[in-house]
């Protein structure tokens, strides 16, 4: 090695610390999210009793939250699809209340995605206007920090400005999996809830199951038949574990 080569190598000194890549910190991404905070009146109108805690039924969601998080922790899971056999069972109601119950735990980060793209409803329930279609986000056209909306420091929502008629096909696209993996890497949520359409009406849920760890089924009292519950369990359990079947709209002093 000649003197000129030695001089060239000596110029390759370590880069100053200011020029090194920043160490990943999920707090930075959470702090960068747009914020929209529904007031208590709006949450009450949407029957988000886990936030207002003005109805005794909130205790049932606290119990569901704790059992769910324990099951996820035991298995190293984070992603849960929430669905129902048919419309009218209240799966979106359960999703919202479970999310707000989880968000009461300060060290638990929760992300909720409105993937009932046949009829998205979470934005209207929270009175938050979505500015983008979730299909654009799942297609990789929007960064997560530009798409998600935080309602609390540890609770964020992915909402859709409108419906989509190609949701089952989009759920099976490779990009959808890549986008969801990126979300997990950047935000490091402890719980991701996917509000899904009815499992017996469309193939959306089946198409999306490869992207989740488990499923929560919501049955509606006076709406869902035992045969429908059995059919949903048979169809879904062949692909992913079912965490349980929650009976919504049940008769009793703490029902809702």
């Amino acid at each position: 090695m000649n003197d000129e080569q030695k001089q060239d190598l000596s110029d390759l000194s370590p880069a100053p610390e200011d020029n090194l890549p920043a160490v990943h910190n999920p707090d930075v991404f959470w702090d960068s999210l747009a914020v929209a905070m529904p007031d208590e009146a709006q949450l009450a109108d949407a029957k988000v009793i886990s936030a207002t805690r003005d109805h005794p039924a909130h205790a049932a969601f606290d119990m569901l939250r704790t059992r769910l998080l324990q099951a996820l922790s035991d298995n190293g899971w984070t992603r849960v699809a929430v669905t129902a056999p048919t419309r009218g069972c209240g799966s979106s109601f359960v999703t919202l209340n479970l999310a707000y119950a989880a968000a009461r735990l300060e060290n638990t980060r929760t992300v909720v995605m409105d993937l009932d793209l046949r009829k998205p409803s979470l934005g209207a329930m929270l009175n938050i206007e979505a500015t983008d279609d979730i299909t654009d986000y799942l297609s990789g056209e929007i960064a997560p920090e530009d798409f998600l909306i935080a309602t609390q420091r540890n609770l964020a929502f992915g909402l859709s400005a409108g419906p989509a008629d190609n949701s089952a096909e989009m759920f099976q696209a490779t990009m959808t999996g890549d986008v969801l993996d990126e979300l997990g890497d950047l935000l490091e949520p402890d719980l991701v809830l996917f509000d899904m359409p009815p499992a017996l009406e469309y193939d959306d849920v089946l198409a999306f199951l490869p992207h989740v760890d488990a499923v929560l089924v919501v049955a509606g009292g006076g709406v869902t038949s035992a045969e429908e519950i059995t059919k949903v369990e048979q169809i879904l359990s062949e692909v992913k574990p079912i965490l349980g079947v929650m009976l919504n709209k049940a008769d009793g002093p703490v029902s809702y």
Side-chain angles (χ1 to χ4, degrees):
M1 182 180 292
N2 58 38
D3 292 340
E4 182 179 352
Q5 288 173 318
K6 291 179 180 179
Q7 180 63 40
D8 290 341
L9 290 175
S10 68
D11 291 338
L12 299 178
S13 56
E17 289 188 7
D18 291 344
N19 295 333
L20 293 175
V23 176
H24 169 61
N25 184 352
D27 292 337
V28 174
F29 286 89
W30 279 89
D31 291 341
S32 71
L33 301 182
V35 177
M37 301 179 64
D39 59 28
E40 287 196 3
Q42 181 60 44
L43 292 172
D45 288 343
K47 298 181 180 178
V48 186
I49 56 178
S50 292
T52 59
R53 299 177 73 83
D54 58 0
H55 190 285
H58 76 77
F61 286 104
D62 289 348
M63 182 71 72
L64 177 63
R65 166 201 66 192
T66 300
R67 293 181 62 183
L68 177 69
L69 291 175
Q70 288 175 346
L72 296 182
S73 177
D74 289 343
N75 291 281
W77 296 340
T78 58
R79 301 178 182 180
V80 179
V82 183
T83 186
T86 60
R87 292 274 176 204
C89 296
S91 56
S92 296
F93 160 77
V94 170
T95 299
L96 280 182
N97 276 283
L98 181 55
Y100 271 87
R104 296 186 69 83
L105 303 175
E106 293 184 1
N107 294 325
T108 298
R109 292 182 171 127
T110 301
V111 175
V112 182
M113 304 293 289
D114 191 351
L115 294 188
D116 184 357
L117 297 186
R118 310 283 177 165
K119 192 177 180 180
S121 62
L122 297 186
M125 294 175 72
L126 295 172
N127 196 29
I128 298 176
E129 183 178 357
T131 57
D132 299 291
D133 288 328
I134 203 168
T135 53
D136 293 333
Y137 170 63
L138 294 178
S139 298
E141 298 176 18
I142 308 174
E145 62 269 28
D146 296 327
F147 175 71
L148 298 173
I149 299 172
T151 60
Q152 297 180 193
R153 288 187 59 86
N154 62 343
L155 177 59
F157 287 85
L159 307 173
S160 187
D165 57 7
N166 65 333
S167 48
E169 293 78 12
M170 171 162 287
F171 292 160
Q172 297 177 73
T174 301
M175 181 58 72
T176 294
D178 293 342
V179 166
L180 295 176
D181 288 342
E182 177 191 46
L183 182 148
D185 292 340
L186 295 179
L187 298 181
E188 296 186 6
D190 302 285
L191 173 63
V192 185
L193 296 173
F194 300 97
D195 187 33
M196 305 297 300
L200 296 182
E201 295 183 10
Y202 310 102
D203 65 334
D204 294 34
V205 177
L206 276 175
F208 193 74
L209 284 187
H211 302 301
V212 305
D213 298 309
V215 184
L216 176 65
V217 177
V218 179
V223 177
T224 307
S225 67
E227 181 181 359
E228 289 171 332
I229 295 175
T230 300
K231 188 174 182 179
V232 167
E233 289 180 322
Q234 290 175 340
I235 293 174
L236 302 185
S237 63
E238 294 178 356
V239 185
K240 291 292 179 176
I242 295 180
L243 293 171
V245 178
M246 178 180 181
L247 180 60
N248 187 36
K249 302 182 179 179
D251 294 331
V254 296
S255 64
Y256 213 112

